């Protein structure tokens, strides 16, 4: 890791982090109405119905309780390893998130890392 004094270091790996997952509550899948959703969502529906059922059950429980729908760790985040439990099926937003980029540093700052 490298960085400047007083600033978060730039990282090149997600190992032992998970800061970006701390406040999303559920995997941020992007879905377009009246069209097929993103590839990861479609693969999840076809390949892993038990994970889809977990996702839907969490949504229904949060809706019944009045939320929260953001501000808590992602349900797929493994608290011990700080890694995604279902990395292969992660949403497009997670796939495109730039490790070490400004959003990454902002997420780490908000999560109290560094």
């Amino acid at each position: 890791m490298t960085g400047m004094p007083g600033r978060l270091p730039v990282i090149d790996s997600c190992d032992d982090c998970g800061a970006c997952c701390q406040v999303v509550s559920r995997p941020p899948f992007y879905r377009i109405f009246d069209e097929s959703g993103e590839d990861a969502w479609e693969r999840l529906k076809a390949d892993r119905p038990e994970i889809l059922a977990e996702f839907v059950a969490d949504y229904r429980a949060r809706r019944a309780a009045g939320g929260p729908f953001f501000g808590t760790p992602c349900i797929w985040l493994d608290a011990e390893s700080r890694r995604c439990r279902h990395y292969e099926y992660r949403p497009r937003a997670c796939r495109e998130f730039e490790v070490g980029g400004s959003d990454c540093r902002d997420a780490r700052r908000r999560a109290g890392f560094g």
Side-chain angles (χ1 to χ4, degrees):
M1 289 194 253
T2 62
M4 298 174 60
R7 295 182 182 209
L8 286 174
V10 175
I11 61 172
D12 58 9
S13 170
C14 296
D15 291 341
D16 298 319
C17 188
C20 58
C21 306
Q22 291 296 318
V23 296
V24 296
S25 299
R26 291 184 330 233
F29 284 104
Y30 175 71
R31 293 173 50 197
I32 300 171
F33 294 103
D34 299 324
E35 296 181 25
S36 62
E38 67 175 81
D39 292 341
W41 179 257
E42 298 304 319
R43 281 188 299 119
L44 179 66
K45 291 190 318 187
D47 297 349
R48 300 292 304 272
E50 75 282 5
I51 298 173
L52 178 63
E54 171 191 8
F55 185 90
V56 170
D58 177 75
Y59 174 78
R60 287 180 178 158
R62 287 178 191 270
R63 191 173 72 193
F69 291 99
F70 60 89
T72 60
C74 179
I75 62 170
W76 287 6
L77 179 65
D78 181 300
E80 189 173 309
S81 70
R82 294 187 186 168
R83 299 292 296 205
C84 182
R85 294 185 299 118
H86 305 297
Y87 189 78
E88 179 183 348
Y89 298 97
R90 70 195 185 282
R92 183 179 300 139
C94 301
R95 291 173 188 274
E96 294 176 355
F97 196 85
E98 183 182 354
V99 177
S102 61
D103 289 335
C104 173
R105 289 191 306 277
D106 185 52
R108 290 174 31 238
R109 187 176 301 106
R110 284 189 323 249
F113 289 30

